[in-house]
Amino acid sequence: MLSSNIKTQQVIDKIQEQVNNAKSYNDLTEAIFIAKAENKKLEFNNLVFLTICLVSLLAVAILWANANENGGFSWFSLTGIYIVLISIVGLFSLLVIWGRESNIPQLNRDIYRMWGLLDNKLNCHPTHNGNVKTMLNDFEQFKRGNCSREIEWEYRSLAEISTSFYFYNFIYTERTRTTKGTKKLHYYRYGLILPFTGFKDIHIISDGKTPCKTHYSLASAEFNKHFKLGAKDPLLLSKFLKPMVIEALVNATKELDSLNVEINANEMMCISFSNADKLYYTPNYGLNSPDKFLNELNKPDLKLPMLTTAIQLYNIFVKYSDKNF
């Protein structure tokens, strides 16, 4: 039993190392092949730790009942100390089981997410000190929070892409004073930063402040319900907001919460949103079904639906901003 668990952990560690160093589809495929080569399910035998948990629970129950029968329970009594020590042993055993059983599902999710990033022409590993950090003052999107604000991570476009773009996670903190003291709340937003030539200083905002606010309005009541508009040049804004662009923005609000679109003075576009709950899908298969897992990965299904929606929105903007269209 012990040797089997050691072997299983060694295989998982090998897969984890492969995933940590992966840079391509082939690298991720090799991680799956490591699991396939075992020709058996990767699982632990947790009988010993499960038995310890059950025995600990039973012992605590007996000690508790005996203490109450003999005049009441006290944490400072010898029985109380025994209960604490036995509970710690049982909790430790439970944590070991949880840690073991969570390894494979987490690896499955990591491989699926990384594959989806490659599908979207992004590096599959994040950087924590990248280019987006230098743009914190370039977009209204980042001028939030009264305590702290930072780029938690960013994924850069692959070297094979001629035009660089970034997928990022932004975290900001609001500090408020209450009668009970100071309270800090953390908020997260996600987004893409991409080049967008021919337009600048445009703000289409559904959440937050609207710079250069303009009285320019659209005939679309649905659009006006979601967005406020800002621009230094309203004429440039009107050229950007073609009917198909307006329709695409309204449709995107059905998937992207608190959607903002900004083009800064340097002709860079920021598409941002707040919902992370559907940022990543969970795969149906995994390392314990390697062939089915590979088939699932190679399907064109959306692995990162929110990211894909944002990229599709950008592509529509590019298409309808083309002067030849």
Side-chain angles (χ1 to χ4, degrees), residues 157-175:
S157 53
L158 294 170
E160 65 191 58
I161 305 300
S162 58
T163 304
S164 296
F165 69 99
Y166 312 95
F167 171 45
Y168 67 85
N169 167 219
F170 172 61
I171 176 174
Y172 65 97
T173 305
E174 291 282 356
R175 180 171 55 194

Side-chain angles (χ1 to χ4, degrees), residues 226-246:
H226 290 288
F227 298 106
K228 294 181 175 62
L229 300 174
K232 286 187 176 180
D233 183 353
L235 180 59
L236 200 60
L237 175 62
S238 67
K239 289 181 179 179
F240 175 75
L241 288 173
K242 293 182 172 70
M244 293 302 295
V245 168
I246 294 170

Side-chain angles (χ1 to χ4, degrees), residues 42-279:
L42 292 175
E43 58 184 355
F44 292 95
N45 189 325
N46 294 311
L47 182 61
V48 172
F49 287 105
L50 186 59
T51 301
I52 292 173
C53 284
L54 294 175
V55 170
S56 299
L57 181 61
L58 181 61
V60 167
I62 292 172
L63 288 170
W64 188 284
N66 287 339
N68 286 327
E69 285 181 4
N70 295 320
F73 172 79
S74 171
W75 289 109
F76 301 101
S77 66
L78 191 59
T79 299
I81 294 172
Y82 284 152
I83 287 176
V84 170
L85 293 176
I86 294 171
S87 297
I88 290 172
V89 171
L91 181 60
F92 173 76
S93 300
L94 193 63
L95 289 173
V96 170
I97 294 172
W98 177 83
R100 285 176 167 181
E101 297 304 315
S102 63
N103 280 339
I104 295 297
Q106 185 58 53
L107 273 171
N108 294 339
R109 289 190 291 270
D110 288 346
I111 293 170
Y112 197 66
R113 170 179 48 79
M114 292 165 72
W115 199 286
L117 287 161
L118 291 171
D119 283 351
N120 285 289
K121 309 302 181 186
L122 288 158
N123 282 286
C124 55
H125 292 289
T127 177
H128 300 280
N129 191 22
N131 288 5
V132 181
K133 186 177 181 180
T134 66
M135 303 182 194
L136 285 176
N137 294 317
D138 292 350
F139 296 97
E140 193 66 26
Q141 143 75 9
F142 298 132
K143 298 175 184 178
R144 300 166 180 259
N146 57 14
C147 184
S148 65
R149 55 194 182 106
E150 62 178 314
I151 302 300
E152 194 170 34
W153 48 251
E154 74 175 57
Y155 291 93
R156 301 178 181 181
S157 53
L158 294 170
E160 65 191 58
I161 305 300
S162 58
T163 304
S164 296
F165 69 99
Y166 312 95
F167 171 45
Y168 67 85
N169 167 219
F170 172 61
I171 176 174
Y172 65 97
T173 305
E174 291 282 356
R175 180 171 55 194
T176 57
R177 295 187 181 278
T178 67
T179 54
K180 296 181 179 180
T182 302
K183 184 178 181 180
K184 291 184 179 180
L185 294 175
H186 304 289
Y187 299 92
Y188 297 84
R189 286 184 66 82
Y190 305 83
L192 285 169
I193 293 182
L194 318 94
F196 198 81
T197 57
F199 294 85
K200 60 182 180 180
D201 297 315
I202 288 175
H203 309 272
I204 303 169
I205 307 295
S206 71
D207 179 79
K209 296 179 181 178
T210 307
C212 309
K213 198 167 184 179
T214 176
H215 295 294
Y216 175 77
S217 61
L218 303 178
S220 171
E222 186 68 17
F223 181 92
N224 294 333
K225 183 176 74 174
H226 290 288
F227 298 106
K228 294 181 175 62
L229 300 174
K232 286 187 176 180
D233 183 353
L235 180 59
L236 200 60
L237 175 62
S238 67
K239 289 181 179 179
F240 175 75
L241 288 173
K242 293 182 172 70
M244 293 302 295
V245 168
I246 294 170
E247 181 182 350
L249 281 163
V250 171
N251 288 336
T253 61
K254 298 172 184 176
E255 298 182 58
L256 303 176
D257 293 345
S258 303
L259 172 63
N260 289 348
V261 177
E262 298 181 76
I263 308 173
N264 69 9
N266 298 318
E267 299 186 344
M268 294 293 290
M269 175 178 282
C270 177
I271 302 173
S272 62
F273 52 92
S274 64
N275 49 325
D277 55 326
K278 294 180 180 177
L279 192 58

Side-chain angles (χ1 to χ4, degrees), residues 9-67:
Q9 188 60 58
Q10 288 174 342
V11 174
I12 291 174
D13 290 343
K14 188 177 180 180
I15 295 171
Q16 183 70 70
E17 183 180 6
Q18 178 70 21
V19 171
N20 290 344
N21 295 319
K23 296 180 180 179
S24 66
Y25 293 120
N26 287 339
D27 293 338
L28 294 174
T29 301
E30 182 59 35
I32 299 171
F33 282 163
I34 293 172
K36 184 176 180 179
E38 292 303 303
N39 204 27
K40 64 177 183 179
K41 189 175 181 180
L42 292 175
E43 58 184 355
F44 292 95
N45 189 325
N46 294 311
L47 182 61
V48 172
F49 287 105
L50 186 59
T51 301
I52 292 173
C53 284
L54 294 175
V55 170
S56 299
L57 181 61
L58 181 61
V60 167
I62 292 172
L63 288 170
W64 188 284
N66 287 339

